[in-house]
Amino acid sequence: MPPCSWPPPASPELMARVTREADYRRWDEILKKISLRQAPIAVLGLGHVGLPTALGLAELGWTVIGADDDRHKVALIQKAESPFFEPGLQDLLDKHLQTGRFRPTDDVDAA
């Protein structure tokens, strides 16, 4: 009688099913975080399009990581200084830096 091994070897079909079930659970968790606005959003580029977009998303309740490789621009934004004028932008920048919903960074890879 051959020695008994535990756990028994899994068939390729069983492994595929287990992997799919794990993928489904992971996607369910991600979708739940998105529906509850708990998943962070990354906006790459904090220029005339990216910064207002990031702050608009923060205003809607999302946590936003704003990334730009221009360290000078990011430093200005982190000090609540907008690098350009856009009506209403300064108020949103002040508000969401204080609430923590908007986090500017120059680490584009990490965002």
Side-chain angles (χ1 to χ4, degrees):
M1 182 173 210
C4 182
S5 66
W6 190 259
S11 69
E13 294 83 14
L14 176 62
M15 290 306 298
R17 191 178 85 228
V18 168
T19 301
R20 279 193 308 271
E21 289 173 6
D23 287 344
Y24 291 140
R25 281 193 299 275
R26 190 169 57 241
W27 276 109
D28 282 344
E29 291 171 16
I30 291 169
L31 292 174
K32 182 178 178 183
K33 285 183 177 184
I34 290 171
S35 69
L36 297 174
R37 294 189 178 171
Q38 294 174 342
I41 294 176
V43 174
L44 303 179
L46 296 175
H48 290 275
V49 174
L51 184 57
T53 299
L55 294 172
L57 290 167
E59 184 70 8
L60 291 172
W62 292 95
T63 298
V64 182
I65 301 165
D68 199 299
D69 60 0
D70 183 342
R71 290 181 182 193
H72 177 71
K73 184 190 303 180
V74 172
L76 282 174
I77 294 169
Q78 287 172 335
K79 293 188 290 187
E81 296 177 20
S82 177
F84 54 86
F85 176 76
E86 176 80 24
L89 189 70
Q90 189 61 54
D91 293 336
L92 290 175
L93 181 58
D94 293 337
K95 177 180 179 181
H96 294 299
L97 284 173
Q98 289 176 2
T99 65
R101 281 195 194 140
F102 175 62
R103 297 188 319 257
T105 182
D106 61 5
D107 190 351
V108 175
D109 292 334

